[in-house]
Amino acid sequence: MGDGPLNGRPLLHIDALYKEYDNPATLVLDKIGFDLFAEDFLCILGPSGCGKSTLIRCIAGFERYEGTIEIDGKGVTGPGSDRIMVFQEFNQLFPWKTVIKNIMYALKINGIKDREEARGRAELYLEKVGLIDYRDYYPHQLSGGMKQRVAIARAMALKPRIVLMDEPFAALDAMSRNQMQDELLRIKEGEGMTVLFITHNIQEAISLGNRIMVMGRKGNIRESMDNPLKKPITPASEGYSEMWRHLNQMLRDGS
Amino acid sequence: MNKKLLSQLAFIIAALLLWQLLYNMKIWPKMLFPSIPTIGKAIVEAFTKRGLPAMALHSLKLLVSGLCIGVFLAFILSSLFSINENMAAVYNMIVCMFDLIPGIALIPVAILWLGIGDEAIIFMVIHSCIWPMSRSIIDGFKAVPKIYVEVGRNFGLNGIGLISGVYLPASFERLFSGIKLGWARAWRGLISAEMVFGGSALGIGYYITDRRTNLDIAGIFATIVVIVLIGLIVEYGIFRIIEKNTVAKWGMVH
Ligand SMILES: Nc1ncnc2c1ncn2[C@@H]1O[C@H](COP(=O)(O)OP(=O)(O)OP(=O)(O)O)[C@@H](O)[C@H]1O
Ligand SMILES: [Mg+2]
């Protein structure tokens, strides 16, 4: 939680993270830094194109970067299953495998060679996202929201140190989105997951995060705060509108 | 599906009727334009008296051997040359160049290098399928959506694991159409080669040449029908089934 520093070393430590793309030459992240502690749920807001995806992709190990990104004190040099990404795209499941095989395959790669053990673990997490009845479906037979649930189940089944989510609900309709938010929160609490969650949506950030960060257009961090509201958070919660206005202001001003 | 099948059958029947009608109009001499019953009889004869099934089987055996070797080599070469971009450019050029050579133009080379045995026929089959297959592999791997590759790497896959776990299934549709194209070309290449030099045992291409020497026009058409039938069996009996159980099941057909 927000009192993380008491637990000692941060789970994720970022310092002076600098990233520019060569083609075309674009400065995206300008020496940013922050820490994330175990069981934190950090929501990152920011205007489109400010570098949120770039940041999360650097952490996931998909991009080269300058500066420091450490997980449990170890520098990130490439992708690894200690940091599992959940993408915005619905087609992140392998279409050639059924729902359960998608999860079992990820487990197998990560050293769970015993099929029954892998199946058991996969079923447990499908149960958690309410899709156990769909275990033998192929991804193309699922709705967008169901696919995202499977992706979340797959990420959790791998028990990564941190789950990285890049606008996983952005392409969903408002109702599924609210439902998915509730589910994610419930699962996160139950599992004690650490989550870094990117969103465009202020409501989503306030409802989900125990910490909220706002990025500015110049590859900087404009705001980094603890979320003082008590869960469950709805637009009717005390302090919600002040919070919303504050974050909205931060987003509007840009820089 | 049944409606489609009915339409297809109706087309075939109509084509046969039209043929027979043209025959009855006596526009061309019988020697050049045989009747449908005569062709039917020639087919029966080919099967019962002249040993066409054994010949067709022999041809198919050579075809399958050549296809397997060709596909295997295409994978090896495509992987070897994908080590860096310069090598890939070289292989791309090789594929373009060799793909343009009609199989029949290589027959003299095959005969001089390998003689007139089965090796020369297999050589022709390999030439027919290795280039289209390579192209499918190169294009197919290139077209694999980045997100599958990233998900795979995120799980900890790399190298061979990433190729077999992500690239192969993700590009299966293209690879498979490469195999289909390779098979169609190889089948034609094989028959041309057999028509020119036979091979060590007698194949279907030999049979058609032999019928021509005997001025047996019905026999020639009978062989053509058998060639088409084999193609239909492979398309509907094998390829469609594989497709139904892979890309169609996965929702990956476009
Ligand atoms: N591969 C790339 N090569 C060059 N520039 C890139 C590349 N990827 C992103 N950029 C640039 O980096 C900047 C940040 O992009 P990024 O995708 O991180 O933004 P974002 O905050 O995730 O935006 P959105 O909210 O729209 O998803 C943009 O200006 C974009 O044009
Ligand atoms: Mg983004």
Side-chain angles (χ1 to χ4, degrees):
Chain A
M1 306 294 269
D3 60 355
L6 299 179
N7 306 343
R9 188 166 71 178
L11 194 156
L12 169 69
H13 171 67
I14 294 182
D15 190 37
L17 173 58
Y18 180 86
K19 167 75 189 173
E20 55 183 3
Y21 289 107
D22 322 325
N23 188 25
T26 327
L27 166 64
V28 185
L29 301 174
D30 193 7
K31 307 229 168 92
I32 65 170
F34 62 91
D35 286 341
L36 202 60
F37 292 86
E39 301 196 23
D40 264 345
F41 196 133
L42 171 64
C43 286
I44 300 181
L45 285 162
S48 184
C50 73
K52 303 182 296 296
S53 295
T54 304
L55 167 64
I56 209 168
R57 289 175 55 79
C58 286
I59 300 171
F62 293 132
E63 303 284 349
R64 270 180 287 182
Y65 61 87
E66 290 163 49
T68 309
I69 302 179
E70 287 174 354
I71 298 284
D72 297 319
K74 254 189 67 203
V76 165
T77 54
S81 53
D82 54 340
R83 291 148 282 143
I84 292 294
M85 272 283 254
V86 177
F87 296 84
Q88 176 179 346
E89 289 91 329
F90 290 157
N91 65 345
Q92 60 192 298
L93 304 174
F94 292 144
W96 55 89
K97 288 189 180 294
T98 58
V99 163
I100 190 151
K101 292 267 171 63
N102 257 284
I103 303 179
M104 288 169 64
Y105 180 63
L107 292 174
K108 186 174 133 203
I109 299 167
N110 282 280
I112 302 184
K113 300 286 182 223
D114 180 57
R115 268 184 82 79
E116 286 321 303
E117 187 187 346
R119 181 182 303 279
R121 170 109 64 106
E123 281 174 349
L124 178 72
Y125 284 93
L126 280 176
E127 194 94 59
K128 283 189 203 292
V129 296
L131 286 181
I132 189 70
D133 292 339
Y134 293 86
R135 75 191 104 185
D136 294 323
Y137 279 52
Y138 281 91
H140 74 102
Q141 296 165 318
L142 305 181
S143 71
M146 289 156 99
K147 286 183 202 167
Q148 296 309 76
R149 285 199 184 94
V150 176
I152 291 171
R154 183 170 72 176
M156 290 188 313
L158 286 165
K159 304 199 184 206
R161 293 293 288 145
I162 178 168
V163 180
L164 305 170
M165 301 184 144
D166 190 356
E167 306 195 45
F169 307 149
L172 295 175
D173 62 275
M175 221 160 77
S176 328
R177 187 176 185 140
N178 282 333
Q179 196 186 342
M180 295 286 289
Q181 289 170 1
D182 293 346
E183 253 174 50
L184 178 62
L185 259 189
R186 183 170 49 73
I187 292 166
K188 189 254 158 201
E189 293 303 328
E191 294 284 311
M193 295 197 299
T194 309
V195 182
L196 192 152
F197 189 104
I198 286 174
T199 177
H200 263 123
N201 185 311
I202 301 176
Q203 173 270 330
E204 190 160 78
I206 301 177
S207 320
L208 293 178
N210 70 309
R211 287 182 52 201
I212 299 174
M213 239 169 68
V214 181
M215 286 175 67
R217 274 183 229 286
K218 293 184 182 146
N220 53 331
I221 295 175
R222 295 205 70 205
E223 170 70 287
S224 178
M225 60 190 289
D226 286 338
N227 182 354
L229 304 192
K230 293 237 171 338
K231 302 224 155 60
I233 300 167
T234 69
S237 300
E238 204 185 317
Y240 180 94
S241 27
E242 287 76 10
M243 184 89 156
W244 196 95
R245 270 201 296 277
H246 173 67
L247 292 172
N248 193 39
Q249 196 62 40
M250 285 282 157
L251 280 171
R252 282 285 174 78
D253 294 353
S255 61
Chain B
M1 125 113 232
N2 277 332
K3 249 194 189 148
K4 281 187 204 159
L5 191 66
L6 276 180
S7 319
Q8 288 164 334
L9 279 178
F11 171 81
I12 288 175
I13 291 169
L16 292 177
L17 285 177
L18 180 67
W19 182 288
Q20 189 62 24
L21 186 74
L22 289 172
Y23 172 83
N24 288 339
M25 285 161 67
K26 298 203 183 345
I27 306 174
W28 301 286
K30 255 198 236 178
M31 279 288 293
L32 300 182
F33 200 85
S35 73
I36 296 293
T38 323
I39 296 177
K41 229 165 54 208
I43 294 180
V44 174
E45 235 171 58
F47 273 77
T48 53
K49 290 203 203 125
R50 299 192 201 281
L52 183 57
M55 293 187 194
L57 271 183
H58 178 73
S59 297
L60 282 174
K61 208 177 76 193
L62 295 185
L63 180 79
V64 172
S65 328
L67 263 180
C68 291
I69 300 174
V71 169
F72 179 72
L73 284 178
F75 270 109
I76 300 283
L77 291 175
S78 309
S79 327
L80 283 182
F81 280 95
S82 64
I83 290 174
N84 67 43
E85 283 178 12
N86 302 330
M87 298 279 278
V90 170
Y91 192 56
N92 225 352
M93 186 187 66
I94 294 177
V95 171
C96 285
M97 291 191 316
F98 283 83
D99 203 17
L100 281 174
I101 307 174
I104 200 141
L106 281 184
I107 288 183
V109 181
I111 293 177
L112 289 176
W113 282 359
L114 300 162
I116 53 168
D118 290 345
E119 294 80 12
I121 304 237
I122 291 184
F123 172 83
M124 299 291 305
V125 172
I126 293 175
H127 165 74
S128 312
C129 67
I130 190 169
W131 314 119
M133 193 62 213
S134 296
R135 195 177 288 280
S136 306
I137 295 171
I138 297 170
D139 294 349
F141 279 16
K142 242 188 237 156
V144 169
K146 194 172 123 216
I147 191 162
Y148 298 148
V149 178
E150 288 187 344
V151 168
R153 289 177 63 211
N154 199 182
F155 293 163
L157 286 175
N158 47 45
I160 304 281
L162 195 61
I163 291 191
S164 64
V166 176
Y167 279 99
L168 279 184
S171 58
F172 188 83
E173 193 189 3
R174 296 237 190 166
L175 299 186
F176 193 62
S177 64
I179 289 180
K180 287 201 292 194
L181 185 60
W183 131 264
R185 291 223 199 147
W187 185 223
R188 283 179 265 174
L190 170 114
I191 292 170
S192 322
E194 283 181 344
M195 285 179 72
V196 175
F197 62 91
S200 72
L202 306 178
I204 199 163
Y206 168 82
Y207 187 87
I208 206 169
T209 315
D210 177 59
R211 289 299 88 202
R212 197 207 62 199
T213 332
N214 284 290
L215 288 180
D216 175 8
I217 187 77
I220 292 176
F221 279 115
T223 324
I224 292 175
V225 170
V226 172
I227 290 172
V228 170
L229 282 180
I230 293 176
L232 284 178
I233 291 173
V234 172
E235 172 72 30
Y236 287 90
I238 301 179
F239 290 156
R240 292 291 167 97
I241 305 246
I242 293 180
E243 257 161 6
K244 222 171 91 186
N245 287 294
T246 54
V247 282
K249 192 161 84 180
W250 306 336
M252 285 172 81
V253 269
H254 302 121

